[in-house]
Amino acid sequence: RIVMKTEEGEKTVLRNQIEEVFYSEPERNYLYLGNQALEEGDLSSAKGFFQKALQINLHLQEAEDALARTADLEKKMGFKDKQISSPLAALDEKWGLILQAGADLVTVAEVPLGSLAQRVGLAAGDGLVSSWSSSLAFMSPDQVAAELWGPPGSKLKLTIQRQIQLSGASAAPPGLWPGIKLGMEPMGLTVSNTESSVSVAALAGLRPGDRIVAINRQSTRYISLANARREIDKGKEKGLSLVIHRDLFLIRE
């Protein structure tokens, strides 16, 4: 699907209604063509399109991730572990990661202490957003597990969604509420720094690089940086709820 912002609000166009997509930025056209080639199984052409996108825009993170995903798929094509019955069972056995179906996202049901999943920062309740920036939304746990599982020793970038609750300023040392610096990055409203390890934000679990996608259930998709700061300041007395996206990197076991 594609979601477009219009004067009448957001409009959603489903995939089966889309014949072709064209972007004003040339690099995004190459990115689109590369993703189309990936879906058709043509990894060589996909790689060429992604490399062309990066030649035009060296800072296009989606193209970097798409190249890494292509390399990951190449490694997975020849990988079969005869000792596992399914990727879902393998994630449980090898990573200590138990998945369950959610409304839009598959979520983490359980993470044992000391497991690979726990060591890389996963926690029960996390939603799995994307793998190498490729969406995992509206998939089943089995489908998500197939995306995550791969050859031992290979690298994976996993984006998670997590809800974080910040307490009010009365529970914080003077000047340490909320204790974060924000920036508006290409991927959205981003925590650029936590001002102190004992600030409310840091103690609640916020980290530099986290992308805030909702403030008290209000989406930050079209919010300005100034308005985002104002919305956060409204929670100074009673606290507030944030939904964040975080990138985790792991080496498969």
Side-chain angles (χ1 to χ4, degrees), residues 130 157-160 207 209-211 245-249:
S130 64
K157 176 182 177 181
L158 177 63
T159 302
I160 63 167
R207 300 179 186 173
D210 287 347
R211 298 180 293 280
H245 284 180
R246 176 180 294 168
D247 297 330
L248 301 177
F249 295 88

Side-chain angles (χ1 to χ4, degrees), residues 187-200:
M187 297 296 289
L189 182 66
T190 303
V191 177
S192 56
N193 189 26
T194 51
E195 297 174 345
S196 168
S197 60
V198 294
S199 69
V200 169

Side-chain angles (χ1 to χ4, degrees), residues 81-151:
D81 190 338
K82 296 180 181 179
Q83 296 181 343
I84 66 168
S85 58
S86 72
L88 191 62
L91 291 184
D92 182 1
E93 179 184 348
K94 304 288 187 179
W95 296 14
L97 180 60
I98 301 175
L99 303 180
Q100 62 185 7
D104 298 333
L105 301 174
V106 167
T107 63
V108 177
E110 186 178 339
V111 176
L113 289 174
S115 64
L116 171 66
Q118 190 264 338
R119 295 198 305 272
V120 301
L122 283 163
D126 288 344
L128 304 186
V129 177
S130 64
S131 167
W132 292 117
S133 295
S134 177
S135 177
L136 300 174
F138 306 108
M139 289 186 179
S140 69
D142 285 293
Q143 290 172 317
V144 169
E147 290 288 327
L148 303 188
W149 183 245

Side-chain angles (χ1 to χ4, degrees), residues 59-77:
H59 305 291
L60 187 60
Q61 185 64 52
E62 296 100 309
E64 288 187 21
D65 286 346
L67 267 178
R69 180 172 180 244
T70 305
D72 195 31
L73 288 172
E74 289 175 332
K75 292 176 183 176
K76 290 169 71 170
M77 284 177 66

